[in-house]
Structures are given as C-alpha cells and as structure tokens.
C-alpha cells in the first residue's frame, strides 16, 4: 500500500540554523499538507499546497517557513532560522481531494537547542 | 470559525467496557468529520469518516447535526484500542485544511 514517507525521522539543530524537512507524498495525490505537533499539544495545521502553490496557511506559517515541490515528487518544508519553539513533530500529509482522507507520514521530530 | 472540541484529554476504561470519545464541532455549512487514530510509535491514520457510515475495528461514530457532535463509540473496548484519538473537521468551508481536536488518549485497562 502506498505511503507518505518523511525524512529525517529526527533532526537536532542549533537555534538560528536552517532546517529542511522532506516528504514524498503518495504519487497520485494532488493536495499536500504540513502539520506540526508540539509535545503534549494538538496537531496544528501549517500549510496546504496545491497546483504548485500555497493554497492555505496558518498564522504559525510565518516568513521563516517556506514550502516547495522542487521535482514533482518531493515536498519540502524549510525553516529558515529555527527557534526553540519550533521544536515539534512535523507531519506531512497528502490527499487526492481537498476534503478527502489525509494520509500522514510518520513524522519528523525536530529538536532545536 | 471552524473548531473541534474534544473535552477529555485522558480516558481510561476496563477491557470489555463500553467506550465513548466525545467530539463537538462548530462549522457553518455541511461538515465532513473524521476520526484519526495514532497508536504508539505509529503514524496518524484514518479510523473512520462520517460519510462512509462504516464500523471500523468495532468503532462507530454518528454525526449529530442538532448537537454538533461526532462521538466515537465502541461497545466492548479491547487492549489494542489504547491509542491517541483525534477528531478532525474538513469540508468545503474549511479552505484547504483540516482542523484537529486536541486528542483523547484512551487507555484500556486489562
């Protein structure tokens, strides 16, 4: 069964460093998402992406964040200058439609020191 | 504003007992509601969605528009049901995003 895959599974970085989290969505899906979950808190929407552009983004997704789909298969989340409060589990998800089932990756745990 | 509320952060039941995980929502329009489950060390995965009206792993959930609720129920809890459960809201008026509740951690006591 096809799955969303994410790399790395865990990344530790120093505050102020750039981080890129990578995702390979399911191949015939058209909608892509990043969510994050700070330890002990709920899953929060960051951004959705469709037709090679951002379709929605939350207040969390400020100028430090960016997404791109550089090669038609990878979907990346970049954090330009990490802050301590960026420490969280970041989940990539994809779906065939914008109201259908979300398929999640296993997550990338980011620890900012 | 679209919002999902799961009032219980933690829920413990004995094996074989009935379980109900509560979810209330606010939404202007026709909502699409989902329950996602996250077992220990596994990814979030869809458990069920209201439009399919299925029973998955013995769980059911009925959309009650009058009470704006989508509670998840199972008549006889099993140890393997121990997990984190998230209610999620999607739909045409949510833009291109899903709203998740804060989650309920279910522990089934043997």
């Amino acid at each position: 069964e096809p799955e969303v895959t994410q790399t790395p599974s865990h990344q530790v970085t120093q505050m102020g460093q750039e981080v890129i989290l990578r995702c390979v969505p399911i191949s015939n899906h058209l909608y892509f998402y990043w969510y994050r979950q700070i330890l002990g808190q709920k899953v929060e929407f960051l951004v959705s992406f469709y037709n090679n552009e951002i379709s929605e983004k939350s207040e969390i997704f400020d100028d430090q964040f960016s997404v791109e789909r550089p090669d038609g298969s990878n979907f990346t989340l970049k954090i330009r200058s990490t802050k301590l409060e960026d420490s969280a589990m970041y989940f990539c998800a994809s779906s065939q439609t914008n109201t259908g089932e979300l398929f999640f990756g296993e997550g990338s745990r980011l620890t900012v020191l | 504003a679209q919002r999902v509320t799961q009032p219980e952060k933690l829920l413990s039941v004995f094996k074989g007992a009935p379980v109900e995980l509560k979810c209330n929502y606010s939404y202007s329009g026709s909502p699409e509601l989902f329950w996602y489950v996250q077992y220990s060390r596994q990814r979030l995965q869809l458990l069920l969605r209201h439009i399919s009206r299925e029973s998955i792993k013995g769980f059911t959930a009925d959309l009650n528009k009058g009470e704006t609720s989508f509670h998840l129920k199972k008549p006889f809890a099993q140890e393997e049901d121990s997990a984190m459960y998230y209610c999620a809201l999607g739909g045409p008026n949510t833009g291109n995003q899903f709203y998740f509740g804060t989650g309920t951690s279910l522990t089934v006591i043997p």
Side-chain angles (χ1 to χ4, degrees):
Chain A
E1 189 175 328
E3 289 182 335
V4 175
T5 57
Q6 289 185 242
T7 54
S9 56
H10 189 192
Q11 181 155 358
V12 181
T13 190
Q14 294 288 329
M15 190 169 58
Q17 297 295 304
E18 176 183 282
V19 160
I20 297 176
L21 305 178
R22 292 183 168 80
C23 170
V24 179
I26 294 173
S27 62
N28 64 342
H29 285 186
L30 302 176
Y31 297 83
F32 314 112
Y33 309 81
W34 282 101
Y35 286 80
R36 79 169 185 192
Q37 185 178 28
I38 295 170
L39 189 64
Q41 298 186 26
K42 68 177 178 180
V43 176
E44 298 176 292
F45 170 78
L46 291 178
V47 67
S48 58
F49 193 85
Y50 170 72
N51 201 25
N52 282 321
E53 60 184 23
I54 290 174
S55 44
E56 294 285 336
K57 60 182 181 179
S58 71
E59 292 172 353
I60 304 167
F61 194 88
D62 61 22
D63 292 344
Q64 293 299 312
F65 290 88
S66 62
V67 289
E68 62 176 3
R69 199 153 184 253
D71 56 12
S73 68
N74 288 286
F75 178 52
T76 62
L77 174 69
K78 183 192 290 186
I79 309 174
R80 193 167 303 126
S81 176
T82 50
K83 303 187 282 286
L84 295 176
E85 54 264 38
D86 294 328
S87 294
M89 184 72 99
Y90 288 81
F91 292 103
C92 175
S94 67
S95 65
Q96 284 188 314
T97 70
N98 63 343
T99 56
E101 176 183 353
L102 290 181
F103 290 81
F104 284 86
E106 291 187 309
S108 293
R109 179 169 297 286
L110 175 65
T111 302
V112 182
L113 302 176
Chain B
Q2 282 72 239
R3 186 175 296 173
V4 178
T5 305
Q6 292 180 252
E8 302 139 330
K9 204 163 187 170
L10 301 169
L11 183 63
S12 295
V13 300
F14 285 100
K15 178 182 171 181
V19 61
E20 180 179 53
L21 291 89
K22 292 185 167 54
C23 172
N24 288 91
Y25 66 91
S26 65
Y27 183 76
S28 51
S30 295
E32 297 208 23
L33 284 147
F34 306 79
W35 277 98
Y36 280 82
V37 60
Q38 188 174 28
Y39 300 104
S40 178
R41 300 199 183 103
Q42 295 187 28
R43 67 186 70 203
L44 273 161
Q45 56 188 281
L46 180 69
L47 180 62
L48 52 80
R49 57 192 299 182
H50 88 272
I51 60 171
S52 62
R53 302 186 66 81
E54 292 175 303
S55 172
I56 305 292
K57 299 184 179 183
F59 284 98
T60 59
D62 290 319
L63 178 61
N64 185 324
K65 290 188 178 180
E67 295 182 359
T68 59
S69 68
F70 188 57
H71 302 327
L72 183 68
K73 299 177 185 178
K74 184 168 181 176
F76 307 104
Q78 302 298 315
E79 288 177 66
E80 55 266 29
D81 296 329
S82 295
M84 196 75 179
Y85 291 81
Y86 294 94
C87 184
L89 169 70
N93 292 345
T94 65
N96 203 9
Q97 61 182 290
F98 286 73
Y99 293 89
F100 283 81
T102 48
T104 298
S105 175
L106 174 65
T107 301
V108 180
I109 304 164

